Amino acid sequence: MADKGGLEGIVVARSRLCSIDGQKGVLIYGGYDVGDLAEHSSYEETCFLILRGRLPRRDELDAFTSDLAAASPLSGETAAVIDMLASHAAPMEMLRTAVSADSFDDPDKDSNAEEANFRKATRLIAKMPTMVARYDRRRRELDPVEPDPGLGHAANFLYMLSGERPDQQAARTFDVALILHADHEMNASTFTARVIASTLSDMHSAITGAIGALKGPLHGGANEQVMHLLMDIGSDENIEQEIRGRLDRKERIMGFGHRVYKTYDPRAVILKRYSRTLAERSDEPHWFAMSEHIEKAVMEEKGLYPNVDFYSASTYHYLGIETGLFTPIFAMSRVVGWAAHVIEQHGDNRLIRPSSEYVGPALRPYQPIEQRTAPEAA
Ligand SMILES: CC(C)(COP(=O)(O)OP(=O)(O)OC[C@H]1O[C@@H](n2cnc3c(N)ncnc32)[C@H](O)[C@@H]1OP(=O)(O)O)[C@@H](O)C(=O)NCCC(=O)NCCS
């Protein structure tokens, strides 16, 4: 295969965390199929698995769950940063800044020791939903809702966002969405986190950098673009024409295609099911129907399968979540994967420092400024 750049197919780390079979459409966390985890597990249990490499016993899960609940309120300093940003920062700008600011008063800030990193990971998993919900309520000029330690991780986020305790179906749907986004092998943001960790920089720096990488529309930012696509197209009868037009203009259809999956993304299969169920009880069933129709059109025109972002868009919309929060939600889930990769990198580190092939000008003499008449070739 000719090298198209983008490190395609290059192995950059040995990892016990996550594997993908892109031909068969299989995703595995620590030896468990993501479909089984979506069926039987919770986000809290999946976090334990990803961080510790095995499923917890009951007492371990209870202890981890209560550690998360205890860590979910924000420090006064981080809350103040979010309040200051709420009216003018975009959601991912806020999250990048709030996570960075949260390192200032982290009790383990000066340690990269494994147990310190586990504690920092737990705190970041716990606090990121509180950050996103606080920001969203502040920008809507509502008072923040403090986390309820009696609710699960997923339900708590929906509660802090809306001020109402979600029903069982909404809470479970969101829990499954968090499980499905929790880790994904050597994706761009995880690679970013590992590169930062490999300089022996700290957990918060690695997660802040990963948030920056996730923000782009070719990565985590795609889920928001999918909702914009649905809204731009607006109705079912325009779909074939719109999709054909966009592909003819060489535009990318967001939520389709993948570097690794050459078949259906297994996460999209599961989210499609949840989106369909939510559509059936919604007064806006057309978002799911349109999504299915777009899927068919993109497959027929370009042979591309939907990825995780495609059906997460309508799923989150049905849960009453504003489009601008879709990518922060991705980050809230993926933080466990990033943190586990940072711990793995710190545990067996060598500086990640690849090379580039030089294609610039040959060696040339330095010209004093007075002698420079025409602009030199770059
Ligand atoms: C994810 C993505 C960046 C992977 O890209 P990649 O591995 O670098 O693949 P390439 O960019 O080399 O694309 C290969 C071919 O498929 C096409 N393609 C890939 N994804 C496409 C999409 N979503 N819409 C239209 N065409 C697409 C490319 O134009 C290219 O076609 P060509 O060979 O005719 O030029 C790409 O599929 C994409 O941009 N998808 C949309 C954004 C998205 O949903 N991102 C979330 C990923 S989870």
mmCIF file with all atom_site columns, all heavy atoms in Angstrom, residues 4 217-219 222 247 251-259 302 304 307-309, ligand 1:
data_model
loop_
_atom_site.group_PDB
_atom_site.id
_atom_site.type_symbol
_atom_site.label_atom_id
_atom_site.label_alt_id
_atom_site.label_comp_id
_atom_site.label_asym_id
_atom_site.label_entity_id
_atom_site.label_seq_id
_atom_site.pdbx_PDB_ins_code
_atom_site.Cartn_x
_atom_site.Cartn_y
_atom_site.Cartn_z
_atom_site.occupancy
_atom_site.B_iso_or_equiv
_atom_site.pdbx_formal_charge
_atom_site.auth_seq_id
_atom_site.auth_comp_id
_atom_site.auth_asym_id
_atom_site.auth_atom_id
_atom_site.pdbx_PDB_model_num
ATOM   1   N N   . LYS A 1 4   ? 0.016   7.060  2.363  1.00 0.00 ? 4   LYS A N   1
ATOM   2   C CA  . LYS A 1 4   ? -0.773  8.281  2.156  1.00 0.00 ? 4   LYS A CA  1
ATOM   3   C C   . LYS A 1 4   ? -0.571  9.262  3.304  1.00 0.00 ? 4   LYS A C   1
ATOM   4   O O   . LYS A 1 4   ? -1.299  10.229 3.442  1.00 0.00 ? 4   LYS A O   1
ATOM   5   C CB  . LYS A 1 4   ? -2.269  7.920  2.046  1.00 0.00 ? 4   LYS A CB  1
ATOM   6   C CG  . LYS A 1 4   ? -2.587  7.066  0.832  1.00 0.00 ? 4   LYS A CG  1
ATOM   7   C CD  . LYS A 1 4   ? -4.059  7.127  0.466  1.00 0.00 ? 4   LYS A CD  1
ATOM   8   C CE  . LYS A 1 4   ? -4.913  6.307  1.394  1.00 0.00 ? 4   LYS A CE  1
ATOM   9   N NZ  . LYS A 1 4   ? -6.337  6.395  1.171  1.00 0.00 ? 4   LYS A NZ  1
ATOM   10  N N   . PRO A 1 217 ? -13.376 18.593 13.600 1.00 0.00 ? 217 PRO A N   1
ATOM   11  C CA  . PRO A 1 217 ? -14.498 17.922 12.948 1.00 0.00 ? 217 PRO A CA  1
ATOM   12  C C   . PRO A 1 217 ? -14.159 16.572 12.320 1.00 0.00 ? 217 PRO A C   1
ATOM   13  O O   . PRO A 1 217 ? -15.071 15.783 12.045 1.00 0.00 ? 217 PRO A O   1
ATOM   14  C CB  . PRO A 1 217 ? -14.949 18.922 11.875 1.00 0.00 ? 217 PRO A CB  1
ATOM   15  C CG  . PRO A 1 217 ? -13.809 19.846 11.681 1.00 0.00 ? 217 PRO A CG  1
ATOM   16  C CD  . PRO A 1 217 ? -13.049 19.875 12.982 1.00 0.00 ? 217 PRO A CD  1
ATOM   17  N N   . LEU A 1 218 ? -12.871 16.274 12.100 1.00 0.00 ? 218 LEU A N   1
ATOM   18  C CA  . LEU A 1 218 ? -12.545 14.938 11.577 1.00 0.00 ? 218 LEU A CA  1
ATOM   19  C C   . LEU A 1 218 ? -12.517 13.902 12.696 1.00 0.00 ? 218 LEU A C   1
ATOM   20  O O   . LEU A 1 218 ? -12.408 12.704 12.444 1.00 0.00 ? 218 LEU A O   1
ATOM   21  C CB  . LEU A 1 218 ? -11.202 14.943 10.850 1.00 0.00 ? 218 LEU A CB  1
ATOM   22  C CG  . LEU A 1 218 ? -11.127 15.781 9.574  1.00 0.00 ? 218 LEU A CG  1
ATOM   23  C CD1 . LEU A 1 218 ? -9.804  15.537 8.849  1.00 0.00 ? 218 LEU A CD1 1
ATOM   24  C CD2 . LEU A 1 218 ? -12.294 15.501 8.629  1.00 0.00 ? 218 LEU A CD2 1
ATOM   25  N N   . HIS A 1 219 ? -12.614 14.375 13.944 1.00 0.00 ? 219 HIS A N   1
ATOM   26  C CA  . HIS A 1 219 ? -12.562 13.439 15.091 1.00 0.00 ? 219 HIS A CA  1
ATOM   27  C C   . HIS A 1 219 ? -13.858 13.634 15.881 1.00 0.00 ? 219 HIS A C   1
ATOM   28  O O   . HIS A 1 219 ? -14.949 13.440 15.345 1.00 0.00 ? 219 HIS A O   1
ATOM   29  C CB  . HIS A 1 219 ? -11.273 13.731 15.869 1.00 0.00 ? 219 HIS A CB  1
ATOM   30  C CG  . HIS A 1 219 ? -10.892 12.736 16.917 1.00 0.00 ? 219 HIS A CG  1
ATOM   31  N ND1 . HIS A 1 219 ? -11.531 11.545 17.103 1.00 0.00 ? 219 HIS A ND1 1
ATOM   32  C CD2 . HIS A 1 219 ? -9.905  12.768 17.872 1.00 0.00 ? 219 HIS A CD2 1
ATOM   33  C CE1 . HIS A 1 219 ? -10.959 10.886 18.107 1.00 0.00 ? 219 HIS A CE1 1
ATOM   34  N NE2 . HIS A 1 219 ? -9.973  11.615 18.598 1.00 0.00 ? 219 HIS A NE2 1
ATOM   35  N N   . ALA A 1 222 ? -17.269 15.636 14.892 1.00 0.00 ? 222 ALA A N   1
ATOM   36  C CA  . ALA A 1 222 ? -18.177 15.185 13.825 1.00 0.00 ? 222 ALA A CA  1
ATOM   37  C C   . ALA A 1 222 ? -19.612 15.024 14.319 1.00 0.00 ? 222 ALA A C   1
ATOM   38  O O   . ALA A 1 222 ? -20.565 15.246 13.563 1.00 0.00 ? 222 ALA A O   1
ATOM   39  C CB  . ALA A 1 222 ? -17.670 13.867 13.229 1.00 0.00 ? 222 ALA A CB  1
ATOM   40  N N   . LEU A 1 247 ? -21.439 15.212 -2.176 1.00 0.00 ? 247 LEU A N   1
ATOM   41  C CA  . LEU A 1 247 ? -20.358 14.331 -2.620 1.00 0.00 ? 247 LEU A CA  1
ATOM   42  C C   . LEU A 1 247 ? -19.762 14.822 -3.930 1.00 0.00 ? 247 LEU A C   1
ATOM   43  O O   . LEU A 1 247 ? -18.543 14.792 -4.118 1.00 0.00 ? 247 LEU A O   1
ATOM   44  C CB  . LEU A 1 247 ? -20.860 12.887 -2.747 1.00 0.00 ? 247 LEU A CB  1
ATOM   45  C CG  . LEU A 1 247 ? -21.171 12.190 -1.412 1.00 0.00 ? 247 LEU A CG  1
ATOM   46  C CD1 . LEU A 1 247 ? -21.825 10.833 -1.647 1.00 0.00 ? 247 LEU A CD1 1
ATOM   47  C CD2 . LEU A 1 247 ? -19.900 12.025 -0.563 1.00 0.00 ? 247 LEU A CD2 1
ATOM   48  N N   . GLU A 1 251 ? -17.405 17.285 -0.754 1.00 0.00 ? 251 GLU A N   1
ATOM   49  C CA  . GLU A 1 251 ? -17.549 17.556 0.680  1.00 0.00 ? 251 GLU A CA  1
ATOM   50  C C   . GLU A 1 251 ? -17.629 16.231 1.425  1.00 0.00 ? 251 GLU A C   1
ATOM   51  O O   . GLU A 1 251 ? -18.098 15.235 0.893  1.00 0.00 ? 251 GLU A O   1
ATOM   52  C CB  . GLU A 1 251 ? -18.833 18.356 0.947  1.00 0.00 ? 251 GLU A CB  1
ATOM   53  C CG  . GLU A 1 251 ? -18.764 19.782 0.454  1.00 0.00 ? 251 GLU A CG  1
ATOM   54  C CD  . GLU A 1 251 ? -20.106 20.505 0.596  1.00 0.00 ? 251 GLU A CD  1
ATOM   55  O OE1 . GLU A 1 251 ? -20.939 20.072 1.416  1.00 0.00 ? 251 GLU A OE1 1
ATOM   56  O OE2 . GLU A 1 251 ? -20.303 21.488 -0.131 1.00 0.00 ? 251 GLU A OE2 1
ATOM   57  N N   . ARG A 1 252 ? -17.201 16.243 2.682  1.00 0.00 ? 252 ARG A N   1
ATOM   58  C CA  . ARG A 1 252 ? -17.318 15.038 3.515  1.00 0.00 ? 252 ARG A CA  1
ATOM   59  C C   . ARG A 1 252 ? -18.682 14.995 4.175  1.00 0.00 ? 252 ARG A C   1
ATOM   60  O O   . ARG A 1 252 ? -19.190 16.024 4.615  1.00 0.00 ? 252 ARG A O   1
ATOM   61  C CB  . ARG A 1 252 ? -16.250 15.063 4.598  1.00 0.00 ? 252 ARG A CB  1
ATOM   62  C CG  . ARG A 1 252 ? -14.888 15.093 3.962  1.00 0.00 ? 252 ARG A CG  1
ATOM   63  C CD  . ARG A 1 252 ? -13.903 14.240 4.651  1.00 0.00 ? 252 ARG A CD  1
ATOM   64  N NE  . ARG A 1 252 ? -12.846 14.015 3.649  1.00 0.00 ? 252 ARG A NE  1
ATOM   65  C CZ  . ARG A 1 252 ? -11.908 13.120 3.769  1.00 0.00 ? 252 ARG A CZ  1
ATOM   66  N NH1 . ARG A 1 252 ? -11.869 12.359 4.814  1.00 0.00 ? 252 ARG A NH1 1
ATOM   67  N NH2 . ARG A 1 252 ? -10.998 12.969 2.830  1.00 0.00 ? 252 ARG A NH2 1
ATOM   68  N N   . ILE A 1 253 ? -19.247 13.838 4.225  1.00 0.00 ? 253 ILE A N   1
ATOM   69  C CA  . ILE A 1 253 ? -20.505 13.674 4.953  1.00 0.00 ? 253 ILE A CA  1
ATOM   70  C C   . ILE A 1 253 ? -20.125 13.249 6.371  1.00 0.00 ? 253 ILE A C   1
ATOM   71  O O   . ILE A 1 253 ? -19.573 12.161 6.571  1.00 0.00 ? 253 ILE A O   1
ATOM   72  C CB  . ILE A 1 253 ? -21.426 12.605 4.312  1.00 0.00 ? 253 ILE A CB  1
ATOM   73  C CG1 . ILE A 1 253 ? -21.527 12.798 2.790  1.00 0.00 ? 253 ILE A CG1 1
ATOM   74  C CG2 . ILE A 1 253 ? -22.797 12.605 4.975  1.00 0.00 ? 253 ILE A CG2 1
ATOM   75  C CD1 . ILE A 1 253 ? -22.194 14.077 2.340  1.00 0.00 ? 253 ILE A CD1 1
ATOM   76  N N   . MET A 1 254 ? -20.380 14.118 7.313  1.00 0.00 ? 254 MET A N   1
ATOM   77  C CA  . MET A 1 254 ? -19.924 13.865 8.678  1.00 0.00 ? 254 MET A CA  1
ATOM   78  C C   . MET A 1 254 ? -20.650 12.664 9.288  1.00 0.00 ? 254 MET A C   1
ATOM   79  O O   . MET A 1 254 ? -21.838 12.451 9.031  1.00 0.00 ? 254 MET A O   1
ATOM   80  C CB  . MET A 1 254 ? -20.140 15.114 9.533  1.00 0.00 ? 254 MET A CB  1
ATOM   81  C CG  . MET A 1 254 ? -19.230 16.229 9.117  1.00 0.00 ? 254 MET A CG  1
ATOM   82  S SD  . MET A 1 254 ? -17.502 15.751 9.401  1.00 0.00 ? 254 MET A SD  1
ATOM   83  C CE  . MET A 1 254 ? -16.665 16.770 8.226  1.00 0.00 ? 254 MET A CE  1
ATOM   84  N N   . GLY A 1 255 ? -19.888 11.887 10.088 1.00 0.00 ? 255 GLY A N   1
ATOM   85  C CA  . GLY A 1 255 ? -20.476 10.688 10.688 1.00 0.00 ? 255 GLY A CA  1
ATOM   86  C C   . GLY A 1 255 ? -20.338 9.456  9.804  1.00 0.00 ? 255 GLY A C   1
ATOM   87  O O   . GLY A 1 255 ? -20.885 8.404  10.146 1.00 0.00 ? 255 GLY A O   1
ATOM   88  N N   . PHE A 1 256 ? -19.600 9.588  8.700  1.00 0.00 ? 256 PHE A N   1
ATOM   89  C CA  . PHE A 1 256 ? -19.378 8.435  7.810  1.00 0.00 ? 256 PHE A CA  1
ATOM   90  C C   . PHE A 1 256 ? -17.888 8.239  7.568  1.00 0.00 ? 256 PHE A C   1
ATOM   91  O O   . PHE A 1 256 ? -17.125 9.197  7.534  1.00 0.00 ? 256 PHE A O   1
ATOM   92  C CB  . PHE A 1 256 ? -20.088 8.633  6.462  1.00 0.00 ? 256 PHE A CB  1
ATOM   93  C CG  . PHE A 1 256 ? -21.563 8.467  6.583  1.00 0.00 ? 256 PHE A CG  1
ATOM   94  C CD1 . PHE A 1 256 ? -22.350 9.559  6.911  1.00 0.00 ? 256 PHE A CD1 1
ATOM   95  C CD2 . PHE A 1 256 ? -22.157 7.220  6.438  1.00 0.00 ? 256 PHE A CD2 1
ATOM   96  C CE1 . PHE A 1 256 ? -23.720 9.417  7.077  1.00 0.00 ? 256 PHE A CE1 1
ATOM   97  C CE2 . PHE A 1 256 ? -23.523 7.070  6.601  1.00 0.00 ? 256 PHE A CE2 1
ATOM   98  C CZ  . PHE A 1 256 ? -24.318 8.168  6.914  1.00 0.00 ? 256 PHE A CZ  1
ATOM   99  N N   . GLY A 1 257 ? -17.517 6.976  7.347  1.00 0.00 ? 257 GLY A N   1
ATOM   100 C CA  . GLY A 1 257 ? -16.128 6.647  7.044  1.00 0.00 ? 257 GLY A CA  1
ATOM   101 C C   . GLY A 1 257 ? -15.322 6.497  8.325  1.00 0.00 ? 257 GLY A C   1
ATOM   102 O O   . GLY A 1 257 ? -15.718 6.988  9.389  1.00 0.00 ? 257 GLY A O   1
ATOM   103 N N   . HIS A 1 258 ? -14.239 5.783  8.216  1.00 0.00 ? 258 HIS A N   1
ATOM   104 C CA  . HIS A 1 258 ? -13.384 5.580  9.379  1.00 0.00 ? 258 HIS A CA  1
ATOM   105 C C   . HIS A 1 258 ? -12.021 5.099  8.926  1.00 0.00 ? 258 HIS A C   1
ATOM   106 O O   . HIS A 1 258 ? -11.922 4.360  7.949  1.00 0.00 ? 258 HIS A O   1
ATOM   107 C CB  . HIS A 1 258 ? -14.005 4.547  10.335 1.00 0.00 ? 258 HIS A CB  1
ATOM   108 C CG  . HIS A 1 258 ? -13.465 4.648  11.712 1.00 0.00 ? 258 HIS A CG  1
ATOM   109 N ND1 . HIS A 1 258 ? -12.326 3.996  12.113 1.00 0.00 ? 258 HIS A ND1 1
ATOM   110 C CD2 . HIS A 1 258 ? -13.889 5.370  12.777 1.00 0.00 ? 258 HIS A CD2 1
ATOM   111 C CE1 . HIS A 1 258 ? -12.082 4.304  13.379 1.00 0.00 ? 258 HIS A CE1 1
ATOM   112 N NE2 . HIS A 1 258 ? -13.010 5.136  13.802 1.00 0.00 ? 258 HIS A NE2 1
ATOM   113 N N   . ARG A 1 259 ? -10.983 5.515  9.645  1.00 0.00 ? 259 ARG A N   1
ATOM   114 C CA  . ARG A 1 259 ? -9.640  5.058  9.307  1.00 0.00 ? 259 ARG A CA  1
ATOM   115 C C   . ARG A 1 259 ? -9.505  3.552  9.497  1.00 0.00 ? 259 ARG A C   1
ATOM   116 O O   . ARG A 1 259 ? -8.818  2.880  8.713  1.00 0.00 ? 259 ARG A O   1
ATOM   117 C CB  . ARG A 1 259 ? -8.624  5.822  10.188 1.00 0.00 ? 259 ARG A CB  1
ATOM   118 C CG  . ARG A 1 259 ? -7.169  5.392  10.041 1.00 0.00 ? 259 ARG A CG  1
ATOM   119 C CD  . ARG A 1 259 ? -6.603  5.597  8.647  1.00 0.00 ? 259 ARG A CD  1
ATOM   120 N NE  . ARG A 1 259 ? -6.531  6.963  8.221  1.00 0.00 ? 259 ARG A NE  1
ATOM   121 C CZ  . ARG A 1 259 ? -5.579  7.834  8.525  1.00 0.00 ? 259 ARG A CZ  1
ATOM   122 N NH1 . ARG A 1 259 ? -4.587  7.469  9.314  1.00 0.00 ? 259 ARG A NH1 1
ATOM   123 N NH2 . ARG A 1 259 ? -5.610  9.061  8.042  1.00 0.00 ? 259 ARG A NH2 1
ATOM   124 N N   . LYS A 1 302 ? -21.527 6.239  -2.110 1.00 0.00 ? 302 LYS A N   1
ATOM   125 C CA  . LYS A 1 302 ? -20.083 6.250  -1.834 1.00 0.00 ? 302 LYS A CA  1
ATOM   126 C C   . LYS A 1 302 ? -19.588 4.988  -1.145 1.00 0.00 ? 302 LYS A C   1
ATOM   127 O O   . LYS A 1 302 ? -18.382 4.816  -0.938 1.00 0.00 ? 302 LYS A O   1
ATOM   128 C CB  . LYS A 1 302 ? -19.803 7.493  -0.961 1.00 0.00 ? 302 LYS A CB  1
ATOM   129 C CG  . LYS A 1 302 ? -18.382 7.885  -0.771 1.00 0.00 ? 302 LYS A CG  1
ATOM   130 C CD  . LYS A 1 302 ? -17.787 8.706  -1.907 1.00 0.00 ? 302 LYS A CD  1
ATOM   131 C CE  . LYS A 1 302 ? -16.309 8.905  -1.653 1.00 0.00 ? 302 LYS A CE  1
ATOM   132 N NZ  . LYS A 1 302 ? -15.596 9.437  -2.798 1.00 0.00 ? 302 LYS A NZ  1
ATOM   133 N N   . LEU A 1 304 ? -19.906 4.142  1.962  1.00 0.00 ? 304 LEU A N   1
ATOM   134 C CA  . LEU A 1 304 ? -19.354 4.400  3.302  1.00 0.00 ? 304 LEU A CA  1
ATOM   135 C C   . LEU A 1 304 ? -20.350 4.027  4.384  1.00 0.00 ? 304 LEU A C   1
ATOM   136 O O   . LEU A 1 304 ? -21.551 4.268  4.254  1.00 0.00 ? 304 LEU A O   1
ATOM   137 C CB  . LEU A 1 304 ? -19.018 5.893  3.456  1.00 0.00 ? 304 LEU A CB  1
ATOM   138 C CG  . LEU A 1 304 ? -17.851 6.435  2.643  1.00 0.00 ? 304 LEU A CG  1
ATOM   139 C CD1 . LEU A 1 304 ? -17.820 7.967  2.736  1.00 0.00 ? 304 LEU A CD1 1
ATOM   140 C CD2 . LEU A 1 304 ? -16.526 5.863  3.138  1.00 0.00 ? 304 LEU A CD2 1
ATOM   141 N N   . ASN A 1 307 ? -20.206 5.917  11.277 1.00 0.00 ? 307 ASN A N   1
ATOM   142 C CA  . ASN A 1 307 ? -19.350 5.683  12.438 1.00 0.00 ? 307 ASN A CA  1
ATOM   143 C C   . ASN A 1 307 ? -20.099 6.080  13.707 1.00 0.00 ? 307 ASN A C   1
ATOM   144 O O   . ASN A 1 307 ? -21.266 6.471  13.649 1.00 0.00 ? 307 ASN A O   1
ATOM   145 C CB  . ASN A 1 307 ? -18.006 6.422  12.276 1.00 0.00 ? 307 ASN A CB  1
ATOM   146 C CG  . ASN A 1 307 ? -18.205 7.916  12.096 1.00 0.00 ? 307 ASN A CG  1
ATOM   147 O OD1 . ASN A 1 307 ? -18.944 8.553  12.855 1.00 0.00 ? 307 ASN A OD1 1
ATOM   148 N ND2 . ASN A 1 307 ? -17.569 8.493  11.078 1.00 0.00 ? 307 ASN A ND2 1
ATOM   149 N N   . VAL A 1 308 ? -19.404 6.026  14.847 1.00 0.00 ? 308 VAL A N   1
ATOM   150 C CA  . VAL A 1 308 ? -20.054 6.256  16.144 1.00 0.00 ? 308 VAL A CA  1
ATOM   151 C C   . VAL A 1 308 ? -20.786 7.597  16.212 1.00 0.00 ? 308 VAL A C   1
ATOM   152 O O   . VAL A 1 308 ? -21.792 7.744  16.892 1.00 0.00 ? 308 VAL A O   1
ATOM   153 C CB  . VAL A 1 308 ? -19.001 6.146  17.284 1.00 0.00 ? 308 VAL A CB  1
ATOM   154 C CG1 . VAL A 1 308 ? -18.014 7.308  17.244 1.00 0.00 ? 308 VAL A CG1 1
ATOM   155 C CG2 . VAL A 1 308 ? -19.642 6.035  18.646 1.00 0.00 ? 308 VAL A CG2 1
ATOM   156 N N   . ASP A 1 309 ? -20.257 8.587  15.486 1.00 0.00 ? 309 ASP A N   1
ATOM   157 C CA  . ASP A 1 309 ? -20.829 9.929  15.613 1.00 0.00 ? 309 ASP A CA  1
ATOM   158 C C   . ASP A 1 309 ? -22.185 10.069 14.944 1.00 0.00 ? 309 ASP A C   1
ATOM   159 O O   . ASP A 1 309 ? -22.944 10.974 15.281 1.00 0.00 ? 309 ASP A O   1
ATOM   160 C CB  . ASP A 1 309 ? -19.866 10.966 15.007 1.00 0.00 ? 309 ASP A CB  1
ATOM   161 C CG  . ASP A 1 309 ? -18.603 11.062 15.814 1.00 0.00 ? 309 ASP A CG  1
ATOM   162 O OD1 . ASP A 1 309 ? -18.721 11.283 17.024 1.00 0.00 ? 309 ASP A OD1 1
ATOM   163 O OD2 . ASP A 1 309 ? -17.508 10.888 15.250 1.00 0.00 ? 309 ASP A OD2 1
HETATM 164 C C1  . LIG B 2 .   ? -12.797 9.630  9.628  1.00 0.00 ? 1   LIG B C1  1
HETATM 165 C C2  . LIG B 2 .   ? -12.026 10.041 8.380  1.00 0.00 ? 1   LIG B C2  1
HETATM 166 C C3  . LIG B 2 .   ? -11.223 11.296 8.709  1.00 0.00 ? 1   LIG B C3  1
HETATM 167 C C4  . LIG B 2 .   ? -11.068 8.904  8.040  1.00 0.00 ? 1   LIG B C4  1
HETATM 168 O O1  . LIG B 2 .   ? -10.397 9.332  6.941  1.00 0.00 ? 1   LIG B O1  1
HETATM 169 P P1  . LIG B 2 .   ? -9.138  8.618  6.267  1.00 0.00 ? 1   LIG B P1  1
HETATM 170 O O2  . LIG B 2 .   ? -8.847  7.303  6.846  1.00 0.00 ? 1   LIG B O2  1
HETATM 171 O O3  . LIG B 2 .   ? -8.038  9.604  6.295  1.00 0.00 ? 1   LIG B O3  1
HETATM 172 O O4  . LIG B 2 .   ? -9.689  8.371  4.828  1.00 0.00 ? 1   LIG B O4  1
HETATM 173 P P2  . LIG B 2 .   ? -9.444  9.308  3.604  1.00 0.00 ? 1   LIG B P2  1
HETATM 174 O O5  . LIG B 2 .   ? -9.612  10.736 4.031  1.00 0.00 ? 1   LIG B O5  1
HETATM 175 O O6  . LIG B 2 .   ? -8.136  8.918  3.000  1.00 0.00 ? 1   LIG B O6  1
HETATM 176 O O7  . LIG B 2 .   ? -10.671 8.914  2.671  1.00 0.00 ? 1   LIG B O7  1
HETATM 177 C C5  . LIG B 2 .   ? -10.657 7.832  1.734  1.00 0.00 ? 1   LIG B C5  1
HETATM 178 C C6  . LIG B 2 .   ? -11.699 8.098  0.685  1.00 0.00 ? 1   LIG B C6  1
HETATM 179 O O8  . LIG B 2 .   ? -12.995 8.075  1.260  1.00 0.00 ? 1   LIG B O8  1
HETATM 180 C C7  . LIG B 2 .   ? -13.624 9.351  1.116  1.00 0.00 ? 1   LIG B C7  1
HETATM 181 N N1  . LIG B 2 .   ? -14.322 9.647  2.361  1.00 0.00 ? 1   LIG B N1  1
HETATM 182 C C8  . LIG B 2 .   ? -13.966 9.217  3.589  1.00 0.00 ? 1   LIG B C8  1
HETATM 183 N N2  . LIG B 2 .   ? -14.853 9.657  4.477  1.00 0.00 ? 1   LIG B N2  1
HETATM 184 C C9  . LIG B 2 .   ? -15.765 10.376 3.785  1.00 0.00 ? 1   LIG B C9  1
HETATM 185 C C10 . LIG B 2 .   ? -16.929 11.062 4.165  1.00 0.00 ? 1   LIG B C10 1
HETATM 186 N N3  . LIG B 2 .   ? -17.311 11.098 5.438  1.00 0.00 ? 1   LIG B N3  1
HETATM 187 N N4  . LIG B 2 .   ? -17.644 11.685 3.227  1.00 0.00 ? 1   LIG B N4  1
HETATM 188 C C11 . LIG B 2 .   ? -17.266 11.639 1.933  1.00 0.00 ? 1   LIG B C11 1
HETATM 189 N N5  . LIG B 2 .   ? -16.170 10.999 1.519  1.00 0.00 ? 1   LIG B N5  1
HETATM 190 C C12 . LIG B 2 .   ? -15.423 10.365 2.434  1.00 0.00 ? 1   LIG B C12 1
HETATM 191 C C13 . LIG B 2 .   ? -12.497 10.322 0.848  1.00 0.00 ? 1   LIG B C13 1
HETATM 192 O O9  . LIG B 2 .   ? -12.921 11.483 0.176  1.00 0.00 ? 1   LIG B O9  1
HETATM 193 C C14 . LIG B 2 .   ? -11.607 9.465  0.017  1.00 0.00 ? 1   LIG B C14 1
HETATM 194 O O10 . LIG B 2 .   ? -12.200 9.328  -1.257 1.00 0.00 ? 1   LIG B O10 1
HETATM 195 P P3  . LIG B 2 .   ? -11.348 9.320  -2.603 1.00 0.00 ? 1   LIG B P3  1
HETATM 196 O O11 . LIG B 2 .   ? -10.462 8.123  -2.456 1.00 0.00 ? 1   LIG B O11 1
HETATM 197 O O12 . LIG B 2 .   ? -12.374 9.213  -3.655 1.00 0.00 ? 1   LIG B O12 1
HETATM 198 O O13 . LIG B 2 .   ? -10.574 10.612 -2.580 1.00 0.00 ? 1   LIG B O13 1
HETATM 199 C C15 . LIG B 2 .   ? -12.995 10.293 7.213  1.00 0.00 ? 1   LIG B C15 1
HETATM 200 O O14 . LIG B 2 .   ? -13.740 9.140  6.950  1.00 0.00 ? 1   LIG B O14 1
HETATM 201 C C16 . LIG B 2 .   ? -13.892 11.491 7.452  1.00 0.00 ? 1   LIG B C16 1
HETATM 202 O O15 . LIG B 2 .   ? -13.489 12.638 7.191  1.00 0.00 ? 1   LIG B O15 1
HETATM 203 N N6  . LIG B 2 .   ? -15.137 11.249 7.950  1.00 0.00 ? 1   LIG B N6  1
HETATM 204 C C17 . LIG B 2 .   ? -16.032 12.329 8.283  1.00 0.00 ? 1   LIG B C17 1
HETATM 205 C C18 . LIG B 2 .   ? -15.713 12.871 9.668  1.00 0.00 ? 1   LIG B C18 1
HETATM 206 C C19 . LIG B 2 .   ? -16.110 11.924 10.738 1.00 0.00 ? 1   LIG B C19 1
HETATM 207 O O16 . LIG B 2 .   ? -17.209 11.390 10.740 1.00 0.00 ? 1   LIG B O16 1
HETATM 208 N N7  . LIG B 2 .   ? -15.214 11.758 11.699 1.00 0.00 ? 1   LIG B N7  1
HETATM 209 C C20 . LIG B 2 .   ? -15.460 10.918 12.849 1.00 0.00 ? 1   LIG B C20 1
HETATM 210 C C21 . LIG B 2 .   ? -14.660 9.668  12.787 1.00 0.00 ? 1   LIG B C21 1
HETATM 211 S S1  . LIG B 2 .   ? -15.129 8.575  14.112 1.00 0.00 ? 1   LIG B S1  1
#
